[in-house]
Amino acid sequence: MPTPTEHGRPDPETTTLARSRDGRPVSDRGDTVCVIGAGASGLTAVKNLAEHGFGVDCYERETGIGGAWNWRHDRSPVYASTHLISSRPFTQFPDFPMPDDWPDYPHHSQLLSYFERYADHFDLRRHIWFGTEVVRVEPVEDDRWDVTTRSTGGYGPERTSRYAAVVIANGHNWSPKLPRYEGLEQFRGEVMHASSYKDPAQLRGKRVLVVGAGNTGCDIAVEAAQQASHCWHSTRRGYWYAPKYVFGRPADQVNDTLLALRVPLRVRQWLYHRTLRLTVGDLTRFGLPKPDHRVYETHPIANSQLVYHVGHGAITPVPDVGRFHAHSVELADGRQIDPEMVVFATGYLPRFEFLDAKILGDDEGVGRPRLWLNAFVPDHPTLAVAGLVQPDSGVFTLSHWQAVLFARLLRLRTTRPERAAAFANRVRAGAGERYSGQVKDSTRHWFEVGHADYLRALERALRDLEGK
């Protein structure tokens, strides 16, 4: 088996040469696995594959690890005040806890230092090619993959290597989803997507319209309430705004206790509504629209400050945007407002530019793969996607167990091929299954999962794979 050198580069003496379908030279990496991306999901994939005995080459387009949590990266959506919205115990990797003296909701700079320590503790950097982007991933014979790379930015020659398997961990919160409104191109004010928002100084002294009620939109609206001369917050529908603390504990820890006790969904919804009535009351009296859904039917919004600033008059709730004029914005109810800056906190769409969308079952090319467990690809048993989930808790534990499951599957392809074949049949039969209960149909919820149900599904898959 080819082995990486000390710095993660293939050793020429252990790498054989082959040819691609169009005759290009290919460096055959034998049983080595390729991981795309060195963010949280990529790092745990590298770590778990290496622990299962595989050689690993990880390609990272940036010059450091951390992915979305490294705000120095061009594609990072992180801004200065970003903190976790899931609490520390439900975010950390299961085999590498965060320090006990950290706050319940760590700052993004602490998350980056956590990944740095994780990489150093498990000696992961030697597997990573920094400043290297993946251009193409193509299936070849025997369920193997040709991966073509080059220096980030397109400089230098392309290089193609052949791998036994590929893990895609390029993240799904970096390609902005931009709405279309009549007249937007004529608007004379400043327009930006939340991906370009980095510091509240960008808002200072301006009349700001924030569009979108996800966690990022609420955070930016809260910062605009403190920095802007006026803040409007536009939402298409009403939402349930969860406080970060309930009964003196982080809200996700209280919810997880109910999940562990197998409290039925309807009972949890009743308890949640009861708690909000006692602590916040009727949100419509603040001018916020009444939610058109029950709790847990949209991705949770964890923000303890939005209602506070609405109640103090620092945020003006408004409905959806109807259209833009040169110097004003017309709302869906006919009112007009005059923002100087519009921030679209309208989310992101996944992109896999290096791979034919049909390979992932995305026949329409809209960015929504058809996978089993949001990770495994029908008819391509040596290809997996890590971290393509939007849970009601932290992501890192889910990515960890995805990587463990994929590593064990790859190992069984050699030691117990009949088990691996049975698993492949299960992937084909279960592609597209949901693990989120009943949620609103929108791009925001394409990858929504309930973390407890999803972890149970991963556990069952591990048991079935090993015949237990």
Side-chain angles (χ1 to χ4, degrees):
M1 177 188 299
T3 55
T5 65
E6 180 182 358
H7 301 291
R9 305 297 192 265
D11 185 343
E13 295 183 0
T14 60
T15 303
T16 59
L17 293 178
R19 291 283 173 182
S20 67
R21 290 172 178 171
D22 58 4
R24 288 176 286 117
V26 175
S27 174
D28 193 330
R29 299 288 286 126
D31 293 333
T32 301
V33 179
C34 170
V35 175
I36 303 172
S41 297
L43 289 174
T44 195
V46 172
K47 176 256 183 190
N48 283 293
L49 286 163
E51 284 188 347
H52 281 77
F54 292 98
V56 185
D57 289 344
C58 176
Y59 295 110
E60 169 54 54
R61 71 184 308 275
E62 303 285 355
T63 57
I65 65 170
W69 288 99
N70 190 330
W71 81 327
R72 292 186 292 270
H73 291 177
D74 291 342
R75 292 179 171 180
S76 172
V78 165
Y79 38 95
S81 63
T82 300
H83 288 71
L84 284 175
I85 59 171
S86 55
S87 66
R88 174 168 43 87
F90 289 96
T91 304
Q92 63 197 9
F93 291 116
D95 54 356
F96 195 77
M98 294 181 185
D100 291 337
D101 59 355
W102 277 16
D104 291 327
Y105 298 99
H107 186 254
H108 70 80
S109 60
Q110 293 175 297
L111 262 292
L112 180 57
S113 70
Y114 173 70
F115 295 135
E116 298 277 1
R117 290 202 294 270
Y118 181 86
D120 292 339
H121 180 79
F122 293 108
D123 193 20
L124 304 182
R125 295 178 197 273
R126 65 190 178 92
H127 299 284
I128 304 172
W129 298 58
F130 291 105
T132 305
E133 62 183 355
V134 173
V135 180
R136 287 184 302 278
V137 176
E138 303 165 295
V140 293
E141 62 276 1
D142 300 324
D143 291 325
R144 307 190 75 210
W145 299 88
D146 281 356
V147 179
T148 301
T149 59
R150 66 186 177 197
S151 295
T152 300
Y155 302 106
E158 293 184 353
R159 173 192 177 97
T160 301
S161 302
R162 184 162 295 173
Y163 291 97
V166 172
V167 177
I168 300 172
N170 66 328
H172 61 280
N173 287 322
W174 58 268
S175 180
K177 175 189 173 186
L178 290 167
R180 296 179 180 178
Y181 290 106
E182 183 181 353
L184 179 58
E185 61 277 5
Q186 279 82 44
F187 181 63
R188 300 292 181 84
E190 184 178 353
V191 177
M192 64 185 295
H193 188 270
S195 58
S196 300
Y197 176 75
K198 296 299 176 185
D199 191 273
Q202 295 171 264
L203 312 171
R204 192 165 297 150
K206 299 177 181 178
R207 299 186 304 276
V208 177
L209 169 64
V210 180
V211 180
N215 285 287
T216 297
C218 291
D219 281 351
I220 296 175
V222 165
E223 297 200 342
Q226 301 169 76
Q227 299 292 334
S229 62
H230 192 88
C231 174
W232 296 275
H233 188 205
S234 169
T235 61
R236 288 179 300 170
R237 59 164 61 99
Y239 290 92
W240 302 102
Y241 299 99
K244 282 195 165 184
Y245 286 92
V246 178
F247 306 123
R249 299 292 299 168
D252 61 349
Q253 296 181 22
V254 176
N255 183 55
D256 194 73
T257 300
L258 298 177
L259 290 171
L261 295 172
R262 302 293 181 98
V263 175
L265 174 61
R266 291 299 186 193
V267 177
R268 288 190 288 118
Q269 288 174 325
W270 180 87
L271 288 170
Y272 190 108
H273 285 288
R274 181 71 174 169
T275 300
L276 285 184
R277 282 198 299 269
L278 291 172
T279 56
V280 179
D282 182 7
L283 293 179
T284 60
R285 72 186 184 89
F286 296 109
L288 291 164
K290 182 179 180 180
D292 61 354
H293 58 279
R294 298 176 68 87
V295 174
Y296 303 121
E297 291 180 357
T298 60
H299 188 71
I301 300 172
N303 194 301
S304 300
Q305 301 179 66
L306 182 83
V307 175
Y308 172 88
H309 285 290
V310 170
H312 284 71
I315 298 174
T316 302
V318 295
D320 197 8
V321 171
R323 61 157 297 154
F324 282 80
H325 300 282
H327 299 286
S328 65
V329 176
E330 185 177 329
L331 303 173
D333 61 4
R335 283 183 290 166
Q336 291 203 15
I337 57 177
D338 59 342
E340 299 170 87
M341 170 186 281
V342 178
V343 182
F344 288 120
T346 46
Y348 301 84
L349 290 173
R351 291 180 63 188
F352 308 98
E353 305 159 296
F354 43 77
L355 187 68
D356 183 348
K358 293 182 179 179
I359 290 176
L360 295 177
D362 180 18
D363 294 336
E364 298 179 2
V366 296
R368 187 179 188 179
R370 186 172 180 272
L371 310 172
W372 184 56
L373 290 172
N374 288 46
F376 297 91
V377 185
D379 302 317
H380 294 285
T382 56
L383 178 66
V385 183
L388 192 62
V389 288
Q390 184 89 345
D392 57 355
S393 189
V395 175
F396 308 158
T397 295
L398 309 189
S399 296
H400 167 89
W401 289 111
Q402 286 176 335
V404 169
L405 180 57
F406 188 58
R408 293 185 184 176
L409 168 64
L410 294 180
R411 183 55 64 207
L412 284 179
R413 282 174 57 82
T414 301
T415 60
R416 299 288 299 276
E418 73 283 359
R419 293 275 183 208
F423 187 88
N425 291 333
R426 179 70 183 91
V427 171
R428 280 189 288 270
E433 289 180 357
R434 301 291 295 271
Y435 304 92
S436 58
Q438 185 65 40
V439 295
K440 287 288 182 180
D441 184 18
S442 70
T443 57
R444 185 185 182 199
H445 298 115
W446 277 356
F447 311 113
E448 190 76 16
V449 299
H451 77 281
D453 290 340
Y454 187 79
L455 284 172
R456 291 188 190 109
L458 285 172
E459 183 182 17
R460 287 194 298 271
L462 280 165
R463 286 201 306 265
D464 292 346
L465 183 65
E466 297 170 354
K468 295 182 179 178

